[in-house]
Amino acid sequence: MREGSSCRRQKAAPRYYQENKVKSNQRSVEASLVWLAVLGGIGRAPVASGSVATLVAGVPAAWVMSTIRQPLYGAVLLTAFLLVSWLACDVAANKLGKKDPREVVVDELAGYLVTMFALPATLLSLAIGFLLFRIFDIWKPWPIRVADTKVPGGLGILLDDLLAGLAAHLLLRAILALLG
């Protein structure tokens, strides 16, 4: 042992402190997921919160996604976002005490990103994609309605928008092919 140094054993933090720290971290993660689910407050728009979220968050996000030139990278990024969105929807529904809270709009962003995935982000495609996605999301034809009514939890909140996004994507792809 060197002279002047002490070999004291550091005391472990009391158990209650460790448990409170874990609970505090868990609350922080949950709060962050709820914040994501309501897109930082966009979901609290007084009217048409889904349309507002699609326009304010979805259109810029789709434009950014379109700058990713490698489809595989875009697919990985979108998949990761969808998984986090699923978790955020689930946590927010539990915290807000509702099956499908109106304030939760990350599902609108996710559905619109599916609509615009691997398509050019021109003013025309973004606008038509917005309209098609909102029509399918509001109308909810089969099987979108089944996903909306029968699938519980965060997956149910998200799945109907993903299916609406897929339907809008396929129709938009056909429209863009016809327009040349």
Side-chain angles (χ1 to χ4, degrees):
M1 187 150 121
R2 289 186 298 172
E3 198 171 308
S5 68
S6 65
C7 187
R8 285 189 223 166
R9 191 172 153 166
Q10 193 172 12
K11 290 184 180 180
R15 185 174 180 89
Y16 68 87
Y17 174 77
Q18 292 171 344
E19 289 171 359
N20 285 338
K21 187 173 182 178
V22 168
K23 288 178 184 175
S24 176
N25 289 342
Q26 182 180 359
R27 283 192 299 269
S28 295
V29 169
E30 288 174 348
S32 297
L33 288 169
V34 171
W35 184 87
L36 173 64
V38 299
L39 293 178
I42 294 172
R44 294 186 177 95
V47 293
S49 59
S51 295
V52 171
T54 305
L55 188 62
V56 172
V59 171
W63 180 79
V64 169
M65 286 287 292
S66 76
T67 64
I68 300 171
R69 297 291 172 220
Q70 294 293 328
L72 180 61
Y73 295 156
V76 168
L77 185 60
L78 181 59
T79 301
F81 178 72
L82 296 178
L83 291 172
V84 172
S85 296
W86 176 7
L87 181 60
C89 289
D90 202 50
V91 168
N94 288 331
K95 286 290 179 192
L96 298 171
K98 301 175 188 171
K99 181 183 181 284
D100 189 353
R102 187 183 86 66
E103 305 95 324
V104 172
V105 291
V106 72
D107 54 329
E108 313 298 332
L109 171 57
Y112 186 69
L113 289 176
V114 169
T115 299
M116 297 306 300
F117 180 71
L119 293 173
T122 65
L123 186 58
L124 181 64
S125 68
L126 291 167
I128 295 172
F130 174 85
L131 291 173
L132 291 174
F133 172 67
R134 294 308 302 146
I135 288 168
F136 280 111
D137 188 39
I138 293 166
W139 175 34
K140 296 191 190 312
W142 182 91
I144 299 167
R145 183 174 307 281
V146 173
D148 185 49
T149 59
K150 302 286 186 195
V151 180
L155 181 60
I157 294 170
L158 188 61
L159 188 58
D160 68 303
D161 293 276
L162 298 182
L163 292 173
L166 180 60
H169 175 88
L170 295 173
L171 188 53
L172 178 58
R173 186 169 286 280
I175 291 169
L176 294 175
L178 288 174
L179 294 176

